[in-house]
Structures are given as structure tokens and as C-alpha cells.
Amino acid sequence: MTVAVLIPAHNEEGTIGELVQACLDQPYPIAQLIVVADSCKDRTADAARAAGATLVLETTHADKAANQNDALPYVTADVVVGFDGDSKPMPSCIPLMVADLERGYDATCSSILPMQDTGFFIESRRFAYSLGSQWWRLCQRRVGRLQVLTGASYAFRMDAVRAVGGFPGGLISADMDITWKLHEGGYRCWYTADALTLTIDPETWAEYKAQMPRWAAGYFQNVARYKRQMWNWRSLLTVGTAMFDLVTLWWWVVVVAYNLATWQHLSMFRYMGYWFVGHTALTMYLVSRVVGWKKAALGFAPYTILNFYNKYVYTRSMIREWLLGRHYGSWTGRSGRKLVITPMSADRRWALGTTAALGGTALSIAGGALGRPVLWAVPLAAAVLVPLSLIRPSGSGRRRASGSGQRTAPTPPVAATDPEETLQLVIPGPRRAHATPPTGADHGADSTRPLPGAATTARHH
């Protein structure tokens, strides 16, 4: 199989050269190496050319899926291998992933570990990646339904990518989107556990809290877009397990708080202690298989602490995306782009307010009839306060951009199959120029369809 490497990058001047060189040094011939430098304010494009990229596209999409789609018309290889601009594949990463495609799979991804050596957030992420590689991903691979083929390091057969129309856009998480698009098309996805890629992870609280909400919102946006796929037993098992894990944490917190407040059923804490010791021993063992006992011990406390924050972020995102219909619609993190959240629709606002008012009133009446003051007062308060909180104040309903101190008019949405559940964003900007794809390349109609939006210039090196 011939291989083309595709690297979408944004302000990655410090890492892109090493990444390009690491790809070219792989013990597998690279037919093409394409870098898409998106909205870069540094020398990312020049550094990529100097390192040996065969083609550099400079765009202003501000969207990963659009950048990858811009590169597809130039791909003439059988396989496209993708890396994030701040990642670095370890030796034999590409050959191992390609070997799995040669075994009959249509898509796969590698294991991921942080590139940085130490730090509170780095140790936590290293623990999570290692645990996932030894448990979650292996279980999903066994079931045949990976939740996400990580965009930091993947390998797709080009015929599969073209058959699904390229990389789908419109959601905040492009990696999970293409994964479920492949599932929807009946393609076989795999996880190449022995292949490894290092990536730069958040090192500060500011970076971490900017990245996690995007991942969480992207998860629930994708489940909503591919909700018909959730009826498949494989999907129910993988996604249902993740949702069960999310819900049981809060159930555990409520039960503990209730028993401490009422001083009842204290014997449960002994059994919870047994469970905690067993759970800790198992997770430490699994992580140690990847990074050793020392790193496992260093990462356990940061992982445990941040796990509560992560579950809070995912729960908040689930409520906002699914219940309130307010969609996370920006790419943040180290890219420095501003937070954009769509407003709640008037119909949804009215429906939620009416449901809260009627439901709260009914429960309040029932509580009064039973002579329970709490069951009477709390639903009554909800029946009044929830509808009031949903009333749109004067001048609201516009998109919110964090840190700017200014309000901007909302971007008109693109027509979608299910507008209530699927977010579609348009990044405006007329295309000024576009290089012609290589002559003689065999491209399907869907694969050559560029996403609307950004100016693109291509320079062959």
C-alpha cells in the first residue's frame, strides 16, 4: 500500500519540522507528505517546507475537517495517515498501522502518550491514556465499535474516506465525527495498540479547562448526529458503558453525602473501601504495563482528582447540548480562538419552561396532599424559578465570545438533517486561489468536493 501523510497544523512552528522528519524517518516509504497550515501567524508553512514536506497548503478555514478535505484532492496514495501538528510518531508507528489495514481493516489509530515528561496535568493525562489503551480501547476494539479514532494519529484507506464524502464537518470534534461516519457506512475500524504517537498536552489549568469542554461538547454532538447508530447493540454497549460511568459517579457522591448527613448505613463505607482498594490495584496494574509503576503511582492522584472535574464538564455539556440545545461551536485551547456558544431556540425555551411549570406544579400538589413540606416546596420553587430563568432578557440571544467583552451577531446556520440535534457552522471567506490537483489522479466526486469557506494557496516543495 502507498501512504500519504496528512498534517493539519495551526501555529506549530516549533514542532512541525520535527514531526515531518519523524514521518520521513519511518521504516515505510512515504509517497506524499502534505501539511495544511491553517490561519498560521508564525512560520509553520516555511518550517514544513524546509523539513521536507512535498506539498504545503496555506488556508484560513479555522476548521480541522475543512483543512483535511482541502488536502484530499491531492492525495494519490492508497492510505492517508494523519497526525496533529503538535504530535510525533514513534518509530514503526506508520508500518504497524498500515499492517492492520493490510489485514482488511478500513481505519485504525495508534496509542497516544504525552510528549512532556512531567507536571500535574501531564501525569493525569498519561495515566488516562495508558488506562484507556489497556482497557477502554481494547474493549471497544473487541466489540467492534471504537468511540473515536484519535485525530492525533490515524490511518484510513482512501477509498473508505472518499466513499463517505471526506471528513464530515459542522461539529466541534472532527475526529469522532469521521469515526462514526465510517461506522455508519459499515467500514471496519481497528485500534493498533502497539503503535505509539506522542502529543503535546495541556500543561496549565487555563489550557486544560479550555480543551476539556470542547472534547465533552464534541462527544455529545456526535452522539446526537449519529443517534440512529446508537440502536446498534455494539454502539449501545460502548456508548452506554460510558454514560453509565458518567452517571454512577454522581450517584456515588449523592449516596455518600446522604449517609454522612443522616449517619445511616455506615457499614457501606467498609465495602466501598474494599471496592476502592480493588479498583486502585487494577488500574495501577494496567497503567504500569504501559509506563511502569513509578509513572503509574505519580499519575494516580492527579487522574483521580481531575476525573471529578472531567465528569462535571461532561455532565454540564450533556445538559447544555441535549437539554438546552446550546451548542459549543468554537475551537479553543492553545489556538487561542474565542468561545462561541449558540443561543437556545425560542421553541426549546418555551417547551422547557412549560414542562418545568406543569411538572413542578403537579409534584407540588402531590407533596401537599401527602403532607410532605419538602415535596411541596421544592417542586413549587422549580415551577416558578425555572420558567423565569428561561425568559430571554432584553438584548440576549446573541453568540457569546469569551474574553472579548463584546457581543457579535450570530452566524447563520447551514441547513442540517436534524437542526435541533446537529450544529452546523460556516466559516466565511471567499476562496482566492487553489492549486490544481495532480494530473491523472483518480478522485471520486465526493472526495473532490471542497468545504466552503477559506482562501487556500498551495506550494509544491
Side-chain angles (χ1 to χ4, degrees), residues 34 51 141 194:
I34 304 173
R141 185 178 75 177
D194 294 334

Side-chain angles (χ1 to χ4, degrees), residues 32 119 128 156 183-184 198 205 221 259-260 333 360 363 387 423 425 428 432-433 449:
Q32 299 171 280
F156 298 157
H183 289 325
E184 186 179 57
L198 304 181
W205 171 243
Q221 287 178 12
N259 285 299
L260 288 176
L363 289 175
L423 172 67
L425 295 180
R432 293 193 299 269
R449 173 177 49 83

Side-chain angles (χ1 to χ4, degrees), residues 207-276:
E207 290 177 345
Y208 192 85
K209 72 176 183 178
Q211 187 182 75
M212 287 306 300
R214 181 179 67 83
W215 283 6
Y219 182 88
F220 294 108
Q221 287 178 12
N222 274 279
V223 173
R225 170 173 281 187
Y226 297 99
K227 55 183 176 293
R228 291 182 179 86
Q229 288 294 307
M230 299 305 147
W231 292 106
N232 182 290
W233 73 269
R234 302 176 191 274
S235 304
L236 282 174
L237 191 56
T238 55
V239 176
T241 301
M243 297 300 296
F244 177 80
D245 180 62
L246 178 64
V247 172
T248 51
L249 176 67
W250 303 122
W251 173 84
W252 178 82
V253 170
V254 170
V255 169
V256 169
Y258 174 80
N259 285 299
L260 288 176
T262 60
W263 212 245
Q264 296 179 5
H265 310 296
L266 298 183
S267 62
M268 67 169 287
F269 290 103
R270 180 177 61 183
Y271 298 103
M272 291 181 67
Y274 295 153
W275 173 86
F276 180 78

Side-chain angles (χ1 to χ4, degrees), residues 278-300:
H279 182 270
T280 300
L282 177 60
T283 55
M284 289 283 288
Y285 167 71
L286 293 174
V287 173
S288 70
R289 287 166 54 91
V290 180
V291 296
W293 284 101
K294 181 179 179 181
K295 283 297 185 182
L298 288 173
F300 179 76

